[in-house]
Amino acid sequence: MSEFWDKRYSESTYAYGVEPNAFFKEALATIEVKGTVLLAAEGEGRNAVYAAKQGWKVKAFDQSEEAKNKALSLATQQEVVLDYIVSDIELLSYERESMDALVLIYAHFPKEVRRAYHQKLSQYLKVGGWLIMEAFEKKHLEKQRVNTKVGGPNQIDMLYSLEELREDFLGFDFLLLEETDTLLNEGIYHQGEARVVRLIAKKK
């Protein structure tokens, strides 16, 4: 998959734009104390740069070298600093319980590793830390049939359900857990009506 993402992110334009995801922006604004945030599968850095501009200390990773290059370029333009590494989740070695917030925006993992990945990422979050997530829900396939420009994985096992997320994040108190339709306007690859899951939670 790193080859797929390297190809996508090697384009001159930003695949998903340079503005932060709307739900992420709204959710982040509800957190009063700003500490260290980890953005998983962060791509070209639009959300990481936004968090840094809001005063967060930002750590981010992606499996694509091209993604990192674009993210650091955007950070330079916006005059912020990102601690951005290229890594697969299996190889991550952040300190346990070192993050105040964990963010997963359209971070989709195969069914056979999804739960293990979510649980590993959760280990980096402090007790009382925040989890923010938006991703495509399983019924999103119906939206793709109507409009291919809306993007997202085209395999149902790569899409999420509320039940799966409840089980993946057992050690959390959910403040928001919903599926809903939303209108995406993010770069050239997220355009149109999508079916998404949204999650805001605190680690117990």
Side-chain angles (χ1 to χ4, degrees), residues 10-53:
S10 67
E11 299 171 5
S12 58
T13 57
Y14 278 71
Y16 303 100
V18 297
E19 297 299 320
N21 172 265
F23 174 71
F24 165 68
K25 181 178 178 179
E26 179 182 317
L28 196 69
T30 67
I31 304 176
E32 295 181 2
V33 179
K34 300 170 183 177
T36 302
V37 57
L38 173 62
L39 293 104
E42 170 54 8
E44 297 165 305
R46 61 194 177 108
N47 298 308
V49 166
Y50 178 79
K53 290 180 70 175

Side-chain angles (χ1 to χ4, degrees), residues 10 15 20-22 38-40 58 90 93 95 104-105 119 122-124 133 144 147 150 159 186 188:
S10 67
N21 172 265
L38 173 62
L39 293 104
V58 176
E90 295 95 331
S93 58
E95 184 180 348
L104 298 109
I105 302 297
Q119 291 176 350
S122 298
Q123 293 174 3
Y124 299 129
M133 181 177 189
Q144 289 179 321
N147 172 26
V150 73
L159 303 173
E186 300 180 330
I188 60 175

